[in-house]
Amino acid sequence: KKELKNIKIKNLSDSIEIEIMVIAKYGCKVSSVGEKLQERIKNDIQSMTGIRVSKVSVVFTDIAFDKAEEKTE
């Protein structure tokens, strides 16, 4: 069994809560990306499993820079 360290799932009596840690790409709109991830994760899990998702927390843990941008700094 493989352990996923960047995803936490809390099983409640009638639903689940999910926390996912991600790295943001430099220059992206974090709030927009976070909202899209929340909606996509919630919809996909509910449609694939039938389990109600009560909460999806997206935690940005770092910023990824393109290699080309790092060289020009």
Side-chain angles (χ1 to χ4, degrees), residues 8-70:
K8 296 178 183 174
I9 300 172
K10 185 176 182 180
N11 195 1
L12 306 174
S13 60
D14 63 340
S15 64
I16 60 171
E17 292 180 353
I18 300 168
E19 180 178 84
I20 181 169
M21 280 63 82
V22 296
I23 298 172
K25 183 177 178 182
Y26 177 77
C28 77
K29 294 185 179 184
V30 174
S31 61
S32 176
V33 170
E35 287 175 12
K36 288 177 184 175
L37 279 171
Q38 286 175 318
E39 190 68 26
R40 179 77 187 262
I41 291 166
K42 181 178 180 177
N43 290 340
D44 286 354
I45 289 176
Q46 289 182 154
S47 68
M48 286 188 263
T49 67
I51 298 170
R52 189 172 80 80
V53 178
S54 58
K55 181 178 178 182
V56 177
S57 299
V58 177
V59 179
F60 290 91
T61 59
D62 204 352
I63 299 172
F65 296 92
D66 288 339
K67 300 284 187 213
E69 289 177 7
E70 289 178 358

